[in-house]
Amino acid sequence: MNPVELKYNKEHEYAGVNGNIVTFGITNHAQESLGDVVFVELPDEGATVTAGKSYGTVESVKAVSDIMASVSGKVVEVNTQVLDAPDLLNSDPYGEGWLIKVEADDLSPLETMMSADEYEAFVATEEH
Amino acid sequence: MIGTKRTPIYEEHQAAKAKLIDFGGWEMPVQYAGVIAEHHAVRNKAGLFDTSHMGEIDVRGKDALAFVQMLITNDASKLHDGKILYSPMCYPTGGIVDDSLVYRYDTEHFFIVVNASNADKDYAWMLEQAKNFEVTVDNVSDQYVQLALQGPLAETILQRITQVDLSKIIYYTFTHGEVDGVPCLISRTGYTGEDGFEVYCAPEFGRQLWRKILEIGASDGVQPIGLGARDTLRFEARLPLYGNELGAEITPLEAGIGFFVKLDKEDFVGKAALQLQKEQGVPRKLVGLEMVGRGIARSHYPLQKDGEEIGFVTSGSFSPTLNKNIALGLIRSDLAVQGDVLDVMIRDKAVQAKIIPSLFYKRG
């Protein structure tokens, strides 16, 4: 279910690494617990984000959630498609529902993130 | 969730894998299939709500009518037996204790339905007000399951399991009869902006009725609806919610429900204050807002004009029917001009919104 090539955090967000470019998004579990996503706010291309700090929000009908950067760096690409069609986060969180791509200053924060297996175990413990 | 209450339908919600939340001390379903799908089901077909958490208070006695007249701002003397009245109850300040549906059996018996989270407070308030009247006031909330079937197909579906001619029950009236063999109070009321019924029965029959309605309505697309869609539905139809549009610090005149305040009837709690407010001019007004900038205005976000705070958002959401981000806001009356633009402060950022008519949705 959760792609093995991605890294996961306890905020139910993922990071996909390709060289020094890191793609951020929210997990399938996150979109299931949020429910229908109706609004996404993302930084502009060229903005900088800081590891562990909020870089935007994802809102469902009832809830507002901050989204946290996994690494620090410059935003090199924004998925503008999700700004107009936020339901892509529900239908395809790991595909068309990705959020931003960041040119990482330093990839080391990713080392503390979970693998897909570890993340699934984490979700299971959280549900009890 | 220790200490939270559950309705007699709880096991059905659990079996349906509803997402459950705490709502005013009750463990209630917030969604089943998803808020937006449920919202559309009610607007286009029909949806079934467990509203058993609502409070029911019975008023009986020689002075029942006089007591109710003192308690509420609307006029129950003009009500025929078998009719229902929507009314706020106010404090002497004009602030709102709660809003309610007042069912008139006859001049000596009224049945008052109040908000779940206010039921204990309301009951205490009513007992206090009842001191000088020959009435008994009973909190009978635990004696009822309340189910609401709402949507354009509600009558068609419910008619399949009752001999009562539902077409004869006009809006805001009620009758008694059997539904699926269960003795019920049936009223043509609701909180969605759609046609529909609210059915009250004894707790032991609740699950039977819940299952039966879902079963016989399945082919018409009826589905269970959680509190999430209940909120978006009522909000689009500008039906106020206590804690949002209504509260102890807000008068019914400000909240846009002045129609339900009858200043020409005999004395009632809050009359002098409301009379004065009307004469002096209502300081705040409830307005509709449509987001111009990107963002969703949420309850309690501040509203500003030229950097000055002029009010706050009472309810705000993505509107599934209009496919827009809209809100209701309580703002200074002198600035409540349709078409004007103001700022919604979303996490300290000013996002523009335009004042629009607040009745966002009216059924065709």
Side-chain angles (χ1 to χ4, degrees):
Chain A
M1 183 77 246
N2 298 299
V4 292
E5 64 276 19
L6 303 179
K7 303 286 258 175
Y8 301 86
N9 70 18
K10 290 181 176 176
E11 267 64 58
H12 304 283
E13 293 162 89
Y14 67 81
V17 192
N18 185 358
N20 66 336
I21 304 295
V22 183
T23 303
F24 297 169
I26 68 167
T27 68
N28 186 56
H29 177 79
Q31 70 81 15
E32 275 179 358
S33 10
L34 274 169
D36 300 317
V37 176
V38 293
F39 183 77
V40 179
E41 184 164 39
L42 298 175
D44 294 329
E45 210 178 295
T48 55
V49 298
T50 309
K53 294 268 166 36
S54 166
Y55 67 92
T57 53
V58 170
E59 302 194 26
S60 66
V61 181
K62 300 304 293 172
V64 182
S65 301
D66 277 317
I67 35 180
M68 302 293 173
S70 305
V71 294
S72 300
K74 191 173 85 170
V75 179
V76 291
E77 199 179 341
V78 176
N79 185 359
T80 52
Q81 217 190 336
V82 299
L83 301 178
D84 296 325
D87 56 329
L88 287 172
L89 273 71
N90 294 115
S91 58
D92 194 10
Y94 300 116
E96 286 190 84
W98 65 274
L99 298 171
I100 60 171
K101 291 185 184 183
V102 172
E103 189 177 26
D105 299 338
D106 168 17
L107 290 172
S108 67
L110 298 175
E111 288 161 21
T112 60
M113 291 179 78
M114 292 175 273
S115 69
D117 282 350
E118 288 165 340
Y119 176 65
E120 271 153 40
F122 170 71
V123 169
T125 58
E126 244 200 353
E127 278 171 352
H128 292 286
Chain B
M1 290 190 214
I2 296 160
T4 57
K5 292 178 272 189
R6 293 169 174 178
T7 78
I9 316 296
Y10 177 79
E11 282 82 3
E12 299 296 324
H13 306 320
Q14 231 180 2
K17 301 222 178 335
K19 191 180 293 177
L20 300 160
I21 55 154
D22 175 80
F23 178 79
W26 291 81
E27 194 177 353
M28 295 296 290
V30 65
Q31 66 167 64
Y32 302 82
V35 175
I36 294 178
E38 292 167 32
H39 181 106
H40 290 311
V42 174
R43 287 271 180 264
N44 301 318
K45 294 168 182 172
L48 184 64
F49 303 73
D50 174 15
T51 49
S52 305
H53 58 311
M54 300 288 285
E56 289 92 7
I57 293 163
D58 217 28
V59 175
R60 290 173 197 254
K62 197 166 66 65
D63 289 346
L65 176 59
F67 165 68
V68 167
Q69 286 291 78
M70 176 60 86
L71 187 70
I72 67 171
T73 63
N74 206 337
D75 190 350
S77 71
K78 294 191 175 125
L79 200 62
H80 296 295
D81 297 349
K83 291 205 79 172
I84 304 161
L85 206 61
Y86 170 78
S87 182
M89 300 187 270
C90 285
Y91 292 108
T93 58
I96 302 165
V97 181
D98 203 358
D99 64 339
S100 63
L101 286 185
V102 178
Y103 289 65
R104 175 164 151 167
Y105 281 75
D106 55 57
T107 54
E108 298 190 359
H109 183 197
F110 290 83
F111 179 73
I112 303 178
V113 181
V114 298
N115 283 298
S117 50
N118 287 338
D120 292 341
K121 176 192 81 176
D122 293 349
Y123 177 55
W125 174 253
M126 289 186 202
L127 285 179
E128 180 76 23
Q129 305 308 309
K131 279 179 184 160
N132 300 321
F133 294 91
E134 233 175 89
V135 286
T136 56
V137 178
D138 289 309
N139 186 347
V140 292
S141 302
D142 294 346
Q143 296 172 30
Y144 292 95
V145 150
Q146 186 190 335
L147 305 182
L149 181 63
Q150 301 279 302
L153 298 180
E155 184 182 317
T156 309
I157 293 166
L158 198 62
Q159 193 64 75
R160 291 180 195 142
I161 48 168
T162 182
Q163 301 290 323
V164 176
D165 184 353
L166 297 176
S167 68
K168 297 260 165 59
I169 307 176
I170 59 169
Y171 196 48
Y172 269 67
T173 64
F174 69 101
T175 191
H176 289 83
E178 287 188 355
V179 180
D180 192 32
V182 175
C184 290
L185 184 164
I186 309 165
S187 77
R188 195 166 206 136
T189 45
Y191 192 51
T192 60
E194 295 303 325
D195 184 24
F197 296 88
E198 290 175 309
V199 176
Y200 302 75
C201 72
E204 58 268 34
F205 300 119
R207 290 179 70 184
Q208 169 196 334
L209 213 51
W210 173 267
R211 273 191 236 166
K212 189 73 178 180
I213 295 170
L214 289 179
E215 184 192 312
I216 56 141
S219 56
D220 299 295
V222 74
Q223 45 178 290
I225 312 294
L227 293 177
R230 185 169 166 82
D231 192 45
T232 52
L233 289 158
R234 70 92 201 160
F235 161 66
E236 284 182 349
R238 199 191 48 199
L239 296 166
L241 173 64
Y242 197 90
N244 289 46
E245 285 70 39
L246 312 179
E249 308 299 324
I250 302 170
T251 74
L253 305 180
E254 294 175 307
I257 52 171
F259 177 76
F260 306 100
V261 177
K262 304 297 184 193
L263 291 170
D264 56 354
K265 75 163 186 175
E266 68 252 52
D267 197 25
F268 60 86
V269 183
K271 184 179 181 181
L274 292 169
Q275 185 85 55
L276 186 67
Q277 187 174 67
K278 190 165 188 188
E279 283 163 16
Q280 293 182 337
V282 179
R284 297 180 296 182
K285 200 176 165 197
L286 193 73
V287 294
L289 298 170
E290 179 181 339
M291 297 308 297
V292 176
R294 292 193 78 252
I296 299 178
R298 304 273 182 182
S299 176
H300 297 102
Y301 284 4
L303 294 170
Q304 293 189 352
K305 179 93 182 170
D306 304 324
E308 187 194 348
E309 192 149 325
I310 60 160
F312 62 94
V313 175
T314 58
S315 296
S317 174
F318 169 73
S319 159
T321 307
L322 277 62
N323 197 24
K324 285 177 185 169
N325 294 328
I326 53 173
L328 291 168
L330 194 62
I331 65 168
R332 262 170 48 190
S333 294
D334 58 316
L335 297 172
V337 181
Q338 257 175 51
D340 274 12
V341 171
L342 46 73
D343 290 323
V344 183
M345 301 308 292
I346 302 181
R347 292 174 289 278
D348 297 325
K349 202 176 103 187
V351 182
Q352 286 193 328
K354 189 172 76 176
I355 300 177
I356 61 165
S358 58
L359 186 59
F360 306 117
Y361 171 82
K362 198 170 192 310
R363 70 174 181 264

